[in-house]
Amino acid sequence: MRTSRLQLLAAAGVAVASLALTACQDGTGTRDEGASASQPVASTPSDASSQAPEESASGSGGNGSTANGSTGSGGDTAGSGESRSGSGSKGSSAGKGSAPGGSDDAPATFNPCNGSNTSVSAAPVSRPVNHMLITVKNTGSKNCDLTYYPVLRFDEMQWVPQPVEESKPQAVVTLAPGESAYAGVLLSAADGSGTGGATGKKLTVGFQGRTPNSDGGPAAIPSLPAAGVYYDSSLTVTYWQSSTDDALTY
């Protein structure tokens, strides 16, 4: 009997303990683990969504700064700057001429001086020796431009005198109505080193256009002394100059 009671009490105790354990697991353990497992899942989208605008703003700001700021805007500004610098250069060329010829350097409103809108004279000078001065006067009603140097031809001469490169000016010579420009001509070597000497009776002065050796319009035929002008293989000519001093320096 005692054994049976003890067995019953023991069995009852095991049942109570089992019930208590089951209640504890259902009330805390399983639910706590479920809640703990669900929190990271809930918190991850929350964290991602809270950071997304910042990353987006940062990315947008970075792209905005690059595309429209330092690179985009700066590039546009540099382009505009370069564009203004280019037009500025041509602007100065249009006023005074920025270089002695060339399609990019001639004045924007290019109007060549030539035999139709100028009067041209050619006269030997005493100093420097063996030199001649060519003078071109604008007889037209608007500005005209002298590019490069005069193309000279005595009589039926088959070669073209070369220019004195050191005389190349910084700007195209632009003549207002009534103004004059000049070119100096070395006729022959002072030391007699020139060859093929001849006496020219007729001189043709050709004009160049926007580009080297292009046609600038009608040539001029200035009068020469009755005795003619002696020249040899040393014959050279300066670029067009604004003053007689510059023209006769070479």
Side-chain angles (χ1 to χ4, degrees):
M1 291 295 289
R2 288 181 181 177
T3 300
S4 297
R5 287 180 180 179
L6 289 174
Q7 290 175 347
L8 290 171
L9 289 173
V14 170
V16 171
S18 176
L19 290 171
L21 178 60
T22 300
C24 178
Q25 289 176 346
D26 292 340
T28 58
T30 301
R31 290 178 184 174
D32 287 346
E33 290 175 1
S36 175
S38 65
Q39 284 178 357
V41 174
S43 65
T44 300
S46 174
D47 292 341
S49 64
S50 66
Q51 292 175 2
E54 295 179 0
E55 293 176 356
S56 175
S58 173
S60 173
N63 292 337
S65 173
T66 301
N68 298 322
S70 61
T71 302
S73 246
D76 292 343
T77 302
S80 298
E82 289 176 2
S83 175
R84 284 193 292 270
S85 175
S87 64
S89 174
K90 292 194 176 180
S92 66
S93 175
K96 296 288 186 180
S98 63
S103 59
D104 291 336
D105 299 321
T109 55
F110 179 67
N111 179 41
C113 299
N114 53 47
S116 68
N117 55 13
T118 65
S119 63
V120 181
S121 64
V125 296
S126 58
R127 289 286 185 274
V129 296
N130 301 341
H131 275 68
M132 181 173 68
L133 180 68
I134 297 176
T135 302
V136 174
K137 182 178 181 180
N138 183 356
T139 57
S141 60
K142 57 183 178 179
N143 292 0
C144 68
D145 306 296
L146 285 167
T147 54
Y148 308 104
Y149 50 89
V151 179
L152 304 181
R153 184 184 183 189
F154 282 106
D155 300 319
E156 301 302 320
M157 190 169 64
Q158 298 300 310
W159 54 282
V160 176
Q162 293 302 298
V164 180
E165 290 299 332
E166 292 81 1
S167 68
K168 192 173 185 178
Q170 295 299 312
V172 171
V173 177
T174 298
L175 298 181
E179 289 184 339
S180 297
Y182 312 90
V185 182
L186 172 63
L187 295 169
S188 60
D191 59 4
S193 60
T195 60
T199 299
K201 298 290 186 175
K202 175 184 176 182
L203 174 64
T204 301
V205 178
F207 298 87
Q208 301 188 57
R210 276 186 176 275
T211 56
N213 302 315
S214 63
D215 185 9
I221 304 177
S223 299
L224 293 178
V229 174
Y230 178 82
Y231 66 92
D232 63 22
S233 61
S234 302
L235 182 65
T236 54
V237 62
T238 68
Y239 283 74
W240 291 113
Q241 307 291 330
S242 297
S243 72
T244 57
D245 289 342
D246 290 337
L248 295 176
T249 297
Y250 305 93

